[in-house]
Amino acid sequence: MLKGIETVGMLLMSNVFMTFAWYGHLKLQEMKISEGWPLIIIILISWGIAFFEYCLTVPANRIGFEGNGGPYSLLQLKVIQEVISLTVFTVIVMFVFKGQEIHWNHFAAFGCLVMAVFFAFLK
């Protein structure tokens, strides 16, 4: 149980880093901070942020994988990762990228992913 909670917690934190690595530069651009920065600088900064994502994702998968004594199969780990990714992304969009509308179909898509977790865990 503890390995499962630890895995999900690390995946949650890693996805915060991932979301900012992938989309944070858009907020900087929106705030007129990174205007005129060359794309290579944006890429290098994103890689620097993504480094911390990997420092959490790789151990989370090792700890959570049933082959290492964890509670999850590879498929379950991947489905958990995708749902966490979408959840973290949605929360960050709502609070950081104000003005981005979330519609019913986005929630329907999210519900489908939650159902994917359900089905991935059926025995």
Side-chain angles (χ1 to χ4, degrees):
M1 176 82 166
L2 187 59
K3 284 186 175 190
I5 292 169
E6 186 177 8
T7 297
V8 170
M10 290 174 78
L11 289 173
L12 255 167
M13 292 185 307
S14 75
N15 272 276
V16 171
F17 284 109
M18 178 191 76
T19 301
F20 280 109
W22 287 11
Y23 303 102
H25 63 92
L26 299 174
K27 185 63 177 178
L28 292 177
Q29 184 179 15
E30 179 185 289
M31 296 170 61
K32 306 213 184 301
I33 293 173
S34 63
E35 278 188 344
W37 290 10
L39 184 57
I40 189 67
I41 298 299
I42 300 297
I43 291 168
L44 292 173
I45 290 169
S46 292
W47 277 355
I49 296 168
F51 170 77
F52 296 103
E53 174 210 347
Y54 277 80
C55 286
L56 292 164
T57 302
V58 172
N61 285 311
R62 286 183 71 91
I63 291 166
F65 178 53
E66 64 190 358
N68 293 328
Y72 306 121
S73 70
L74 287 177
L75 182 63
Q76 289 170 333
L77 280 168
K78 183 60 182 172
V79 172
I80 291 168
Q81 157 65 31
E82 293 303 325
V83 169
I84 289 172
S85 177
L86 182 61
T87 302
V88 168
F89 176 79
T90 302
V91 169
I92 289 174
V93 164
M94 288 172 53
F95 291 102
V96 177
F97 291 91
K98 295 182 184 345
Q100 294 291 318
E101 294 183 17
I102 299 177
H103 300 284
W104 71 268
N105 57 318
H106 301 127
F107 288 108
F110 182 71
C112 290
L113 284 173
V114 170
M115 291 305 297
V117 171
F118 172 76
F119 288 119
F121 278 82
L122 281 179
K123 298 287 182 191

